[in-house]
Amino acid sequence: MERGESRTRHGEGRFLREGDSSGSGRGGSGPSGEWPAPRASRAGAADDDAKAAARAARAARLAKARASRDAASPRPARSTRPGPQRRPRSEQAAALRRPAPEPAPVRRFPDPRLTGLGSGLFCAAVMLVLGYLDSLMSGSLTLYSVLFLPVCALTALWVREGDLLTAPVVVPIAFAVGLLPVAESGGGFSGHLMGLVSALATEAGWLYGGTLIAGLVVLVRRVRLVARRVAARRRAGAGGG
């Protein structure tokens, strides 16, 4: 009996040892049979934590560097004025087709243009004023005749192109009108008329000289006018052809 019991106990102990050894070989850690965590997964988790910490440190350094750079060079304040608005293409095309403004004309000396009647009135009025002034100062016919020459030139220069031929006609009449206060009078109308005729006779050379000056100025202006018209016709013909 005792030998049988000892064999039975010995068999049970052997069975228990084999079970323990088989359990340990399968990876069990105890009576609950839980498997231990693999070493590779633990190392990977540690590496991930280290990489995350490195990225966080790098982001912190970049943020700090950016903040220091912004503080060193502050951005300019944005203007509150509205920006230029783009015009539509139609307006831009119209602006391109629009001709450029002409330059301001250069100021020149006054260049009046008198009609035939206006030139006659101008010359007569000026000579009459000069005659009164001459009679008050000295009453010299020579001084009056000398002043007649520039008046003839101005009359021929200021008459308009359509009435150029009137200048040589009106200047002798103006000379006679201006002689009225200068000519000597012997009393009465007849005496005054004789003084005027004698003054015209004595100053005929100055009268012809003034008329000749007016005629020459008118002739030059007429030649220039004809030349301009011919040149304009040639340009028109060349443009049309």
Side-chain angles (χ1 to χ4, degrees):
M1 292 292 292
E2 291 178 0
R3 290 180 181 178
E5 291 178 359
S6 61
R7 290 178 178 176
T8 304
R9 292 176 181 176
H10 181 70
E12 292 178 357
R14 186 177 178 183
F15 177 75
L16 291 172
R17 284 194 301 270
E18 290 177 359
D20 294 338
S21 62
S22 64
S24 61
R26 294 178 181 176
S29 60
S32 60
E34 296 179 355
W35 295 85
R39 294 180 181 179
S41 62
R42 292 179 181 177
D47 292 341
D48 293 341
D49 294 340
K51 290 181 180 179
R55 284 196 297 269
R58 189 183 303 169
R61 287 195 301 270
L62 290 176
K64 187 176 180 180
R66 189 177 301 169
S68 62
R69 187 171 61 252
D70 294 343
S73 59
R75 296 180 180 177
R78 294 183 179 179
S79 177
T80 57
R81 297 180 179 178
Q85 298 180 357
R86 297 183 62 183
R87 295 184 298 178
R89 294 184 178 178
S90 59
E91 295 184 2
Q92 293 179 0
L96 291 176
R97 289 194 301 267
R98 188 178 304 167
E102 296 181 358
V106 181
R107 292 186 178 181
R108 299 179 180 178
F109 291 103
D111 190 15
R113 286 292 177 260
L114 302 174
T115 61
L117 179 60
S119 62
L121 293 176
F122 165 76
C123 190
V126 172
M127 294 309 301
L128 186 61
V129 171
L130 292 177
Y132 273 112
L133 293 177
D134 187 21
S135 64
L136 292 176
M137 289 187 297
S138 61
S140 174
L141 292 176
T142 305
L143 178 61
Y144 172 82
S145 301
V146 170
L147 294 176
F148 172 67
L149 301 180
V151 175
C152 292
L154 289 177
T155 303
L157 285 174
W158 286 351
V159 67
R160 65 183 184 180
E161 295 177 349
D163 298 325
L164 287 175
L165 298 179
T166 59
V169 177
V170 298
V171 289
I173 299 174
F175 184 83
V177 171
L179 279 177
L180 293 175
V182 183
E184 296 180 0
S185 58
F189 178 76
S190 59
H192 198 77
L193 183 60
M194 290 299 299
L196 179 61
V197 172
S198 62
L200 287 173
T202 55
E203 303 298 328
W206 295 102
L207 175 61
Y208 295 151
T211 306
L212 180 62
I213 290 174
L216 291 176
V217 173
V218 168
L219 180 62
V220 172
R221 290 186 59 190
R222 183 67 181 178
V223 171
R224 293 181 60 184
L225 175 62
V226 173
R228 286 199 304 269
R229 288 179 179 177
V230 172
R233 290 176 183 175
R234 289 179 180 176
R235 286 195 300 267

